Amino acid sequence: MMDLELKGKTVFIAGASRGIGFGMAQAFAREGARVALTGRGEAALDKAREALIAEGVPASGLLTIAGDMTNTADLAAALDATEAKLGALHAVIANVGMSKAPLGFDVSDELWDADLLQNLSGSFFLAREALKRIVKRPAAEREGANLIFISSIAGVEALGTAVTYAASKAAVNQTTRALSKLVGKEGIRVNAIAPGNILFEGGVWEKNTKERPDDWARWIRREVALRRFGKVEEIADAALFLASPRASFITGAVLVVDGGQVK
């Protein structure tokens, strides 16, 4: 078994109450990391925490914080609370992805701004506030510290998604590269994961496949080289690797995890 050397490390995960975010929380907790789970809904976070404890994760290694993770004050308070209870930040994961805008170009100013705030600005605000704290530590104490953005293949290739979503995720990818150049001299790594079509309970793809199972099954077989949907665990494993010393010479990367969909 490969030791990823994450035991006792503090990991902060935005959007951790369900789906990919919760899967990452599970994966890091199983590696022995201390995990802060954040999101907007307190009840959903409490349910996620209870599920982890039921799996045997020590309650002392978990922290849930509800708040608006696009709001700088809420972010700062959440990061401070995490370090106060769980210790110095090792990995910070900006897992934000949604779009309220319709397909096509006729998108209102309000929807454009809302999608960019959620997908791009919120991710950058979290990175900025985390970096402020990490760079203050002596070099030896911040060794291995890193940021991970959860992007999308919609930001890598034009796939017919909402323009706001595609634009914001492409900007997240470029933010990853730009930040990696800025903070590399401090020994801090910055990477992104660009998931493909990930199937999980309550997600968009579960809804789509229930409504039109045959159509989407044909589409997946046609568009994805591995001819299947991805699993939450496969994104979580990628995050574990990037957050670990096994990826110590990787920064500024956008790791596509899509089963071979992007051409």
Side-chain angles (χ1 to χ4, degrees), residues 3 8 23-24 35 55-56 59 64 69 78 91 105-106 122 126 132 162 198 205 223 228 234 236 244 254-255 258 263:
D3 180 8
M24 290 190 293
V35 183
E55 291 183 7
T64 57
M69 292 298 117
F105 64 83
D106 191 8
L126 173 56
K132 285 180 182 178
I198 309 301
W205 281 111
E223 297 295 329
R228 66 173 176 85
E234 291 167 320
S244 78
V254 178
L255 177 59
D258 73 340
K263 306 299 190 289

Side-chain angles (χ1 to χ4, degrees), residues 167-217:
S168 57
K169 288 301 187 178
V172 166
N173 294 343
Q174 192 62 9
T175 299
T176 298
R177 300 179 184 106
L179 281 178
S180 72
K181 296 286 189 181
L182 287 173
V183 301
K185 63 182 181 296
E186 306 292 347
I188 302 167
R189 296 184 297 109
V190 185
N191 292 294
I193 299 170
N197 303 303
I198 309 301
L199 186 63
F200 58 86
E201 184 179 355
V204 170
W205 281 111
E206 184 193 47
K207 177 177 180 291
N208 288 346
T209 54
K210 282 183 176 178
E211 291 176 352
R212 295 163 50 200
D214 293 339
D215 290 344
W216 287 116

Side-chain angles (χ1 to χ4, degrees), residues 1 19-20 43 50 55 73 80 85 87 107 109 131 133 142 157 162 167 193 198 211 214 230 260:
M1 180 177 177
I20 290 172
E50 290 166 7
E55 291 183 7
D80 287 343
K85 179 174 180 180
V107 178
D109 294 0
L131 287 169
R133 288 154 178 77
R142 63 173 181 262
E157 185 175 294
I193 299 170
I198 309 301
E211 291 176 352
D214 293 339

Side-chain angles (χ1 to χ4, degrees), residues 11-67:
V11 180
F12 181 102
I13 305 174
S17 63
R18 60 188 287 272
I20 290 172
F22 179 68
M24 290 190 293
Q26 280 183 308
F28 279 99
R30 288 169 181 167
E31 290 290 324
R34 296 188 286 262
V35 183
L37 298 85
T38 71
R40 292 178 184 270
E42 187 171 352
L45 287 170
D46 288 343
K47 183 178 179 181
R49 182 176 182 274
E50 290 166 7
L52 292 174
I53 291 172
E55 291 183 7
V57 177
S60 60
L62 296 172
L63 177 65
T64 57
I65 306 169

Side-chain angles (χ1 to χ4, degrees), residues 98-183:
M98 63 168 290
S99 177
K100 295 182 179 180
L103 299 177
F105 64 83
D106 191 8
V107 178
S108 69
D109 294 0
E110 291 76 18
L111 284 176
W112 177 269
D113 290 343
D115 278 14
L116 263 67
L117 174 63
Q118 186 70 29
N119 294 315
L120 172 61
S121 301
S123 295
F124 174 73
F125 296 163
L126 173 56
R128 178 190 64 199
E129 295 306 309
L131 287 169
K132 285 180 182 178
R133 288 154 178 77
I134 294 169
V135 297
K136 288 180 180 178
R137 307 203 305 256
E141 293 180 17
R142 63 173 181 262
E143 183 178 356
N146 65 94
L147 308 180
I148 300 172
F149 292 103
I150 303 301
S151 178
S152 169
I153 57 170
V156 177
E157 185 175 294
L159 298 172
T161 59
V163 174
T164 54
Y165 186 76
S168 57
K169 288 301 187 178
V172 166
N173 294 343
Q174 192 62 9
T175 299
T176 298
R177 300 179 184 106
L179 281 178
S180 72
K181 296 286 189 181
L182 287 173
V183 301

